[in-house]
Amino acid sequence: MELLAGTVDAVREVAAQLVARHRDEPARAVTLAEAAEVFDALDGPASALLRDRLTALRPGARWLEDELAARVPADGEWWVCDATDGAVQYLHGLPHWAVTATLVRDGEPVLAVVHAPYLDATYTAEPGGGARLNGRGVRPRRRELAAAVAATAQPPLVGQDPVAVRRAGESLGAVLPWVLAVRNLGPTAVQVAQVGSGHLSLFWEYGSDAGNLLPGALVAREAGALVTDATGAPWTASSPSFVAAAPSLHADLLALLREIP
């Protein structure tokens, strides 16, 4: 509990710094290069602060230098963190971004914090301890498929994976006619966590995105949602697809995705 509380404090401190430095105004950037320059100036200090705080809490844990890395180490303890999960929204002055911190041990998440400051939402989870939103326990909500709000997203580097791009498009067409709505509310970690708290009923994604999926996956699973890949196999950090759903709807979502090669 002490490590979890310290991680929450660290994540909130970083979020407060980011809010103070870049509030709700879109960044004055015209080109992608200009946007990257603005982002690096904001994200760099925030990431350094997060690393300092978490290293002090867990000196023996190593740091995954790139949270977008395709491979999460299968051995040892690693911090997998993102100071600005939802960087596109952050730069455009939109509220849907978060600071995330996940401690991974031997390839499995053992602690997760997802803090979205503008949504006033802090999700936390540890294996066997359940999931919480702002300190209260959460569970998925039971709904029929026609009343479900589903969400999906695409990994940051999805343009380099033509198979994932094709599956993303085909899966949207497969799911959209059967649910109340499909949204991409980014960031990924928050959306997956929201399946655990019942704000969303379903989430799916194609492509490699372990760094963004790990924190939400632990929250959703500890809340009682079913977390697998698109075939129904257990999801791991190396899986090429991801599904999180309320137990009553998981089989329905897999059935809709089953025909996508």
Side-chain angles (χ1 to χ4, degrees), residues 226-243:
L226 297 183
V227 176
T228 67
D229 68 13
T231 71
W235 180 79
T236 69
S238 61
S239 296
S241 60
F242 179 90
V243 165

Side-chain angles (χ1 to χ4, degrees), residues 4 6-8 10-11 50 54 57 63 78-83 85 98-104 109-115 123-125 189 211 214-216 218-219:
L4 181 60
T7 304
V8 169
V11 163
L50 186 59
L54 296 182
L57 288 172
W63 192 266
W78 296 81
W79 284 111
V80 181
C81 302
D82 193 345
D85 184 14
V99 182
T100 70
T102 310
L103 184 63
V104 176
V110 295
L111 178 151
V113 176
V114 178
H115 175 59
Y123 286 92
T124 59
L214 278 165
L218 181 59
V219 171

Side-chain angles (χ1 to χ4, degrees), residues 14-15 18 43 46-48 50 67 81-85 97-100:
V14 171
L18 286 164
D43 179 75
S47 296
L50 186 59
E67 76 275 3
C81 302
D82 193 345
T84 48
D85 184 14
W97 60 272
V99 182
T100 70

Side-chain angles (χ1 to χ4, degrees), residues 25-234:
E25 285 292 323
R28 297 182 182 276
V30 176
T31 68
L32 181 59
E34 289 173 348
E37 184 177 353
V38 172
F39 176 72
D40 288 344
L42 294 164
D43 179 75
S47 296
L49 176 61
L50 186 59
R51 182 170 186 167
D52 287 346
R53 295 294 186 264
L54 296 182
T55 298
L57 288 172
R58 198 76 170 180
R62 288 171 284 181
W63 192 266
L64 194 67
E65 294 293 341
D66 182 4
E67 76 275 3
L68 303 183
R71 190 183 73 86
V72 174
D75 300 309
E77 280 195 347
W78 296 81
W79 284 111
V80 181
C81 302
D82 193 345
T84 48
D85 184 14
V88 172
Q89 294 87 261
Y90 175 68
L91 284 179
H92 283 76
L94 298 169
H96 301 285
W97 60 272
V99 182
T100 70
T102 310
L103 184 63
V104 176
R105 181 179 300 133
D106 297 335
E108 292 291 328
V110 295
L111 178 151
V113 176
V114 178
H115 175 59
Y118 283 120
L119 303 180
D120 190 27
T122 304
Y123 286 92
T124 59
E126 292 179 288
R132 287 175 167 74
L133 169 57
N134 297 337
R136 60 177 177 82
V138 291
R139 302 286 294 176
R141 296 291 180 90
R142 183 178 179 86
R143 294 184 178 91
E144 64 177 18
L145 187 62
V149 176
T152 188
Q154 298 80 43
L157 303 179
V158 70
Q160 302 174 15
D161 185 348
V163 173
V165 171
R166 175 181 57 78
R167 287 172 172 170
E170 292 180 2
S171 63
L172 179 60
V175 176
L176 190 56
W178 298 97
V179 298
L180 181 63
V182 176
R183 299 289 184 260
N184 184 340
L185 302 172
T188 299
V190 173
Q191 294 188 94
V192 178
Q194 287 174 326
V195 174
S197 60
H199 292 87
L200 295 171
S201 296
L202 313 165
F203 178 92
W204 83 93
E205 183 179 280
Y206 286 98
S208 178
D209 198 15
N212 287 325
L213 289 167
L214 278 165
L218 181 59
V219 171
R221 189 168 61 219
E222 284 299 311
L226 297 183
V227 176
T228 67
D229 68 13
T231 71

